Amino acid sequence: MDDLTMSIGEVLKDRRLALSIKQEDIAEQMNVTVQTVSKWERGVTEPKARDVSKLAEILLVTEGEICRGELNSANVSKMDFMKKIASIKMKLDDVAFFSTVYDYIPDKKGLLDKLEHELLRQQAEEHWMVIDEAEKENWFAYLEYKKRQERNEILSDIYEAEGQEGVDNYLKSEI
C-alpha cells in the first residue's frame, strides 16, 4: 500500500502491525473495546474526531496521516531511513538536527526511554561480553536503580534549595 491512498482503518491496522502493537493494547489505551478497534481497522466504523489525536500518539503518526489515509513514511524502509538520517546528521549541526527531530517525534518520552535503555544495554554489553541473560537482567536492574538513585538525589537537592515549586519546575522541564 506504499503509493496508494488507504482508508483510515488501513492506516490504523498498518501502523499497529508495523509497531507490533496488539488491538488489545490500543483498546486499553483508548478506553474502548477490542471490537471497536477491530471495527475501525475493518472500516465498519471510524474513530471519533476526539480519538484521532490519541490514536496518532499511540501509532506514532500525525492526525493528518490518519485522516488522509497516507503514511508519509510508508515507502521508506527502516534501513534506507537510517542511512538517510545518518547522512543528514553528519552534515547538520546538533541543534538544528535535534530540534527538527523533536518537532516530528510524537512520543518524546518514549523515545528518550528507549534511547536510555539502548545506552544501558550497550554499556552492559561492553562490560559483560560473556554473561548469561539472568546476569544481564541483574545488570540492567542495577543500572536502572543507579539512574533512579541519581535522579532522586537531584530532586532532593532541588527540594532543599527551592522547595516543592523547584521540584515541580524541574519535572516539567524533563517533559
Side-chain angles (χ1 to χ4, degrees):
M1 300 200 169
D2 287 342
D3 294 323
L4 301 175
T5 300
M6 299 184 277
S7 69
I8 289 174
E10 289 169 327
V11 171
L12 299 178
K13 184 175 182 179
D14 188 66
R15 287 301 297 161
R16 178 180 63 77
L17 293 174
L19 296 170
S20 301
I21 300 173
K22 296 177 185 173
Q23 285 182 337
E24 293 84 8
D25 297 331
I26 291 178
E28 184 178 319
Q29 291 182 55
M30 296 295 301
N31 201 26
V32 298
T33 65
V34 174
Q35 292 80 3
T36 299
V37 175
S38 176
K39 286 180 182 179
W40 291 342
E41 289 185 357
R42 291 181 289 128
V44 174
T45 61
E46 291 185 348
K48 291 181 171 48
R50 68 174 182 261
D51 294 329
V52 174
S53 176
K54 180 70 175 171
L55 283 167
E57 183 181 315
I58 294 167
L59 298 172
L60 306 178
V61 294
T62 65
E63 294 172 32
E65 287 175 297
I66 291 174
C67 295
R68 283 191 313 272
E70 297 174 354
L71 293 173
N72 294 333
S73 61
N75 59 356
V76 179
S77 73
K78 185 175 183 178
M79 186 56 72
D80 289 341
F81 178 81
M82 290 188 306
K83 287 178 183 175
K84 184 74 172 176
I85 288 291
S87 170
I88 293 170
K89 169 74 176 85
M90 290 175 60
K91 297 171 187 164
L92 272 180
D93 66 89
D94 285 349
V95 172
F97 179 81
F98 288 111
S99 67
T100 302
V101 168
Y102 181 89
D103 291 341
Y104 283 88
I105 301 294
D107 183 11
K108 293 164 181 64
K109 179 150 179 27
L111 173 65
L112 291 173
D113 290 346
K114 178 65 174 171
L115 290 172
E116 286 176 348
H117 176 78
E118 287 300 316
L119 177 62
L120 292 173
R121 184 187 60 76
Q122 283 185 2
Q123 288 173 340
E125 287 180 2
E126 288 170 8
H127 290 85
W128 305 96
M129 294 306 267
V130 186
I131 59 174
D132 65 30
E133 286 302 312
E135 288 177 302
K136 273 188 183 178
E137 288 306 315
N138 287 338
W139 179 246
F140 285 133
Y142 171 75
L143 291 174
E144 286 291 334
Y145 167 77
K146 291 299 286 180
K147 187 172 108 177
R148 281 193 309 274
Q149 190 177 31
E150 289 172 10
R151 184 173 186 267
N152 287 340
E153 289 173 7
I154 291 170
L155 292 173
S156 178
D157 291 345
I158 292 172
Y159 185 78
E160 286 180 20
E162 301 174 31
Q164 186 61 43
E165 185 177 340
V167 171
D168 292 343
N169 290 335
Y170 177 81
L171 293 173
K172 286 179 189 173
S173 73
E174 284 187 323
I175 300 173

